[in-house]
Amino acid sequence: MSVPKYKIPEMIDLPDRQWPSKSITQSPQWCSVDMRDGNQALPDPMDPDQKLEYFQMLCEIGFKHIEVGFPSASQDEFDFFRKLIEEDLIPDDVFIMGLTQSRPHLIERTLEAFKGCKRGIVHAYIAPSDLHMKQVFGMERPQLIETAVAATRQIRALADAMPESDIRYEFSPEEYTDTDVDFSLELCEAVFAAWGKGTPEKPVIMNLPATVERRPPNHYADMIEYFCRNFSKRDCITVSLHSHNDQGMAVAATELALMAGADRVEGTLFGHGERTGNVDLVTCINNLYSRGIDTGMDFSDLGHVAETVERLTGMPIYYRQPYAGSYAFTAFSGSHQDAINKGVHKLSEAPDRFGMGWKVPYLHIDPSDLGRKFERLIRINSQSGKGGIAWVLEQDFGIEIPKAMQPELGRYVQAYSEKVGREISADEVHQVFQSEFVAPEGPYELIGYWPRPDDNDPTFIHGEVKVKVNGGEKVVSADGNGPVSAFVAAINQIVEVDFTVDDYHEQAVGKGADAQALAYVPLKLEGNGVVFGVGADSNINQAAVRAIVAGLNRIAKK
Ligand code: KIV
Ligand code: ZN
């Protein structure tokens, strides 16, 4: 019988699991391992100046646990650790963390690196999985427990010799998700006892890694719930998660494991880290934020964070990366654009209708919370619809296209985008609007319009129009109940179509001395539909007559 290459991972025995009916209602503690797990996996690791900039950014975001490196791994790592301490670069409420293998000479060097620090976490690890013990270490279980216990005692003794520093302990049974869960528990209990001073105030951090994502997220949650339920002094430990993303489910695994009772999450910004990386903390944190949980983290200028991480790591962020990708909040498709446009305009009704301040189609979070308010949410290509085009003109130019005009404008913009064969800019959308509706080419050119109120009845208007028709100047006059109706009566004497203007839409664009009126005038043609023209002028009546001339040129063109 041939042995299969892979097999379905077995679940642990937990028929009364509770986590599926739990919700995450409060924030875990967050720990950044960017400068260790993330940095060790970069093609070009950061130099000390870059590391310092990264560290300061993590502090600004609000991280209180920051794994700064692996001080015993190299002189550079050690020196950077020392620089932070000696140059007093660590905020008082931040714990710096240093990783070490559970080996005596490395532990000694690691603790040397911590000398003089105010608050630190020594993080030791060992892999208790059968895979590691049999294939890598050649060790049996009792020997592995002995090694971890001896390492813990050594760390405790060295930490006790630094009473001026608040040194805490973190222990990781590496490959937790590939290890017999009862053996992991036994190991962690032994380590906890060896540390000997875990209390609710100063808990030992038991970090339970999915070092390689070999299982689905629900298995991780089961294993975390099992650990939380069975650890003897649960209130004296912090249960910490550390997931990698080999199967692309690290965020899901982390969320389910939080439901299962974990207290703390280790990860990196944008998921840097070995192979497919660690869990992406930007996604985890903003997921909770988007559900109304105070995470204690500040991503209000996510663009700056993204730019800094890209520059310092030399690795670009993918366009569709949640929250930070340049397309994360962009809608190209017409129906999405239309719905976003409507939803944003009706936002003030959201609290009454949905009991929350933000509820917009296709946008689960307000991009401006992440400092993304100035960028384009809606982008225009040949798939785009009228709503998106109207949105772009409103957002970028303050132009509010009336609903009845939107389908026709949409068709022109689409045709333009198809012709150029690419996404088009807001300026190009504006140009299409200008050239099709405001200043279309045609036979008519308005030279001037002088409306004059009647001497006896100021509501009655005598209008005189000077216009060029195919280059030849003409002057016509007529009367009306207002400036626009007098103009229509006058111009109707020289144009070849019969049209009326019943009603039109106007708006102001800009403020103060620069303000302009925009008039959107539908010309109703005798039995032949409606054609819009748009006019701009500092005077609303002049804007309306310009709109009529634009409409007449459009009719002539058609
Ligand atoms: O992934 C892992 O298991 C680790 C440990 C050292 C915590 O990075
Ligand atoms: Zn890791």
Side-chain angles (χ1 to χ4, degrees):
M1 195 179 82
S2 72
V3 176
K5 191 163 188 183
Y6 304 107
K7 61 178 190 178
I8 294 173
E10 274 171 41
M11 299 178 84
I12 60 163
D13 186 28
L14 195 65
D16 60 341
R17 59 179 65 76
Q18 301 295 308
W19 63 263
S21 45
K22 298 257 168 75
S23 297
I24 305 170
T25 55
Q26 61 182 41
S27 182
Q29 286 180 298
W30 303 104
C31 170
S32 154
V33 296
D34 290 73
M35 301 176 67
R36 195 275 301 170
D37 224 346
N39 192 48
Q40 81 188 34
L42 293 177
D44 296 313
M46 290 183 272
D47 67 25
D49 288 343
Q50 291 173 317
K51 275 187 154 188
L52 181 58
E53 188 180 345
Y54 208 113
F55 177 77
Q56 284 165 339
M57 175 188 65
L58 293 170
C59 293
E60 277 161 26
I61 292 170
F63 286 99
K64 304 297 176 212
H65 289 186
I66 299 176
E67 192 162 69
V68 164
F70 205 140
S72 66
S74 71
Q75 191 62 43
D76 281 355
E77 290 275 294
F78 185 90
D79 290 345
F80 183 72
F81 222 84
R82 295 303 310 151
K83 175 185 169 77
L84 288 183
I85 296 168
E86 282 164 18
E87 296 180 19
D88 202 11
L89 297 169
I90 308 162
D92 284 350
D93 58 352
V94 169
F95 283 84
I96 55 164
M97 236 164 92
L99 182 71
T100 177
Q101 289 180 347
S102 299
R103 297 166 68 184
H105 66 292
L106 300 180
I107 290 170
E108 194 141 329
R109 180 81 171 146
T110 304
L111 270 288
E112 229 176 278
F114 275 90
K115 283 209 173 109
C117 86
K118 287 192 196 98
R119 300 178 129 195
I121 299 171
V122 179
H123 179 188
Y125 73 101
I126 195 162
S129 66
D130 285 343
L131 178 63
H132 263 79
M133 281 195 298
K134 291 189 194 319
Q135 312 285 67
V136 185
F137 305 146
M139 237 189 220
E140 294 299 323
R141 287 183 176 187
Q143 212 184 334
L144 186 114
I145 292 186
E146 253 171 54
T147 307
V149 163
T152 304
R153 290 204 181 112
Q154 185 188 0
I155 292 167
R156 158 120 200 218
L158 291 168
D160 284 352
M162 297 194 257
E164 70 290 352
S165 305
D166 180 0
I167 302 283
R168 310 279 176 96
Y169 186 42
E170 171 168 339
F171 175 72
S172 291
E174 199 190 6
E175 283 268 29
Y176 174 73
T177 50
D178 195 40
T179 303
D180 169 43
V181 70
D182 287 313
F183 180 53
S184 291
L185 261 169
E186 186 187 341
L187 171 66
C188 290
E189 292 278 9
V191 163
F192 180 82
W195 182 248
K197 52 176 187 176
T199 60
E201 293 71 41
K202 295 191 174 181
V204 175
I205 300 169
M206 290 296 174
N207 185 50
L208 307 176
T211 304
V212 180
E213 192 170 46
R214 302 172 187 274
R215 299 172 165 280
N218 59 319
H219 288 211
Y220 193 33
D222 275 358
M223 294 181 81
I224 297 298
E225 181 171 327
Y226 188 87
F227 192 96
C228 291
R229 274 159 61 166
N230 290 294
F231 195 87
S232 60
K233 294 266 176 56
R234 174 66 183 93
D235 62 332
C236 298
I237 58 168
T238 295
V239 173
S240 175
L241 306 172
H242 179 116
S243 44
H244 282 262
N245 198 35
D246 300 80
Q247 299 192 8
M249 296 186 283
V251 171
T254 300
E255 289 209 6
L256 299 194
L258 285 174
M259 288 157 62
D263 312 300
R264 178 178 183 270
V265 175
E266 292 192 352
T268 58
L269 302 180
F270 311 114
H272 286 299
E274 289 288 10
R275 307 178 307 282
T276 51
N278 291 59
V279 71
D280 170 20
L281 288 181
V282 175
T283 301
C284 286
I285 292 169
N286 285 301
N287 281 357
L288 298 202
Y289 171 77
S290 77
R291 297 176 211 148
I293 294 172
D294 178 2
T295 64
M297 296 285 125
D298 179 1
F299 283 115
S300 59
D301 192 356
L302 185 55
H304 167 69
V305 172
E307 177 279 314
T308 308
V309 173
E310 282 187 321
R311 180 167 45 79
L312 297 179
T313 61
M315 303 208 30
I317 291 169
Y318 177 50
Y319 289 101
R320 302 205 187 275
Q321 178 85 14
Y323 302 101
S326 51
Y327 289 170
F329 300 109
T330 297
F332 281 101
S333 101
S335 61
H336 290 205
Q337 295 177 344
D338 193 44
I340 291 174
N341 193 1
K342 287 177 177 147
V344 168
H345 280 97
K346 290 191 181 155
L347 209 46
S348 59
E349 294 161 31
D352 279 350
R353 290 194 173 150
F354 310 109
M356 58 201 279
W358 180 266
K359 188 90 174 162
V360 170
Y362 303 108
L363 290 177
H364 77 292
I365 182 175
D366 180 354
S368 72
D369 290 352
L370 307 172
R372 299 191 65 170
K373 53 183 164 271
F374 297 115
E375 75 188 296
R376 178 152 314 298
L377 299 183
I378 288 184
R379 306 181 54 143
I380 303 299
N381 63 16
S382 58
Q383 309 298 306
S384 306
K386 53 186 170 48
I389 291 160
W391 163 282
V392 164
L393 286 177
E394 186 174 343
Q395 294 297 306
D396 285 44
F397 302 96
I399 294 172
E400 296 158 8
I401 304 291
K403 258 200 165 35
M405 211 183 107
Q406 290 180 10
E408 198 186 359
L409 173 63
R411 284 193 292 277
Y412 283 116
V413 172
Q414 228 166 24
Y416 175 86
S417 176
E418 264 163 18
K419 194 173 97 193
V420 295
R422 55 169 168 78
E423 180 189 351
I424 62 173
S425 68
D427 281 341
E428 286 173 295
V429 173
H430 188 239
Q431 270 163 29
V432 172
F433 165 69
Q434 281 285 333
S435 61
E436 292 296 340
F437 289 90
V438 184
E441 282 176 10
Y444 305 106
E445 187 190 335
L446 183 69
I447 300 170
Y449 173 52
W450 293 268
R452 183 177 60 76
D454 185 75
D455 293 339
N456 298 316
D457 176 2
T459 64
F460 192 70
I461 303 293
H462 305 285
E464 185 184 281
V465 180
K466 204 183 263 186
V467 69
K468 273 188 188 166
V469 183
N470 290 319
E473 209 169 289
K474 297 204 171 172
V475 179
V476 278
S477 27
D479 301 334
N481 290 331
V484 174
S485 69
F487 180 84
V488 171
I491 199 90
N492 256 324
Q493 298 166 30
I494 50 171
V495 297
E496 282 163 13
V497 285
D498 255 351
F499 73 94
T500 52
V501 171
D502 297 341
D503 197 12
Y504 63 92
H505 173 79
E506 61 194 41
Q507 68 155 129
V509 179
K511 285 200 179 97
D514 293 334
Q516 281 240 312
L518 269 189
Y520 307 83
V521 180
L523 310 192
K524 264 201 192 154
L525 304 179
E526 192 72 15
N528 208 5
V530 168
V531 174
F532 269 94
V534 181
D537 199 288
S538 53
N539 173 288
I540 184 59
N541 293 323
Q542 295 291 338
V545 302
R546 284 183 189 287
I548 293 170
V549 174
L552 290 169
N553 279 328
R554 297 193 63 227
I555 293 168
K557 207 161 117 186
K558 279 173 185 225

